[in-house]
Amino acid sequence: QLQLVESGGALVQPGESLRLSCAASGSDFDLYSIGWVRQAPGKERERVSCIESLHGRTYYKDSVKGRFAVSRNNAKKTVYLQMNSLKPEDTAVYYCAAVFSDYCREYDYWGQGTQVTVSS
């Protein structure tokens, strides 16, 4: 089992950057594929990015490609989401999620979320 804690959310202006962190506790962290999912007020939850456990392949939602970058440090049991050129439409609660799989599938474990607000 894995416990996930997100951090790094903040209020920023359009065009600025943020780095979110997802710290995990539990065993076999390197065997989990980890994703970032966000939910804006009044909208459905949407997958933003994911990084696989086995090959380290990464995936991104089209609207964040070229602006966001996901990475992981298995020794620190942490996954990061570097977010650049932030836009107001990126405003949401960002959740870290994990699945015990080589691939990005439906997630079994979730963090509590961290708020990202992009506004001038």
Side-chain angles (χ1 to χ4, degrees), residues 33-109:
S33 293
I34 309 290
W36 290 93
V37 179
R38 70 186 181 188
Q39 187 166 23
K43 295 187 177 181
E44 293 187 356
R45 194 172 286 188
E46 59 181 11
R47 291 175 174 241
V48 175
S49 181
C50 186
I51 183 165
E52 291 179 342
S53 62
L54 181 60
H55 300 291
R57 287 181 296 203
T58 58
Y59 300 91
Y60 299 94
K61 177 179 173 62
D62 284 347
S63 63
V64 308
K65 285 180 181 177
R67 299 189 297 123
F68 290 11
V70 63
S71 61
R72 65 191 296 161
N73 183 325
N74 288 336
K76 294 185 176 181
K77 295 186 180 180
T78 302
V79 171
Y80 305 97
L81 184 67
Q82 178 67 41
M83 305 188 295
N84 300 325
S85 303
L86 282 162
K87 303 176 180 181
E89 51 264 43
D90 294 319
T91 295
V93 177
Y94 283 71
Y95 299 91
C96 172
V99 57
F100 188 73
S101 172
D102 294 341
Y103 307 102
C104 295
R105 301 183 185 278
E106 291 300 317
Y107 300 115
D108 297 316
Y109 304 100

Side-chain angles (χ1 to χ4, degrees), residues 6-26:
E6 304 94 333
S7 62
L11 169 63
V12 297
Q13 294 189 346
E16 293 186 339
S17 298
L18 273 179
R19 188 177 79 158
L20 305 183
S21 298
C22 172
S25 59

Side-chain angles (χ1 to χ4, degrees), residues 106-119:
E106 291 300 317
Y107 300 115
D108 297 316
Y109 304 100
W110 294 80
Q112 83 290 349
T114 186
Q115 176 70 47
V116 172
T117 303
V118 185
S119 175

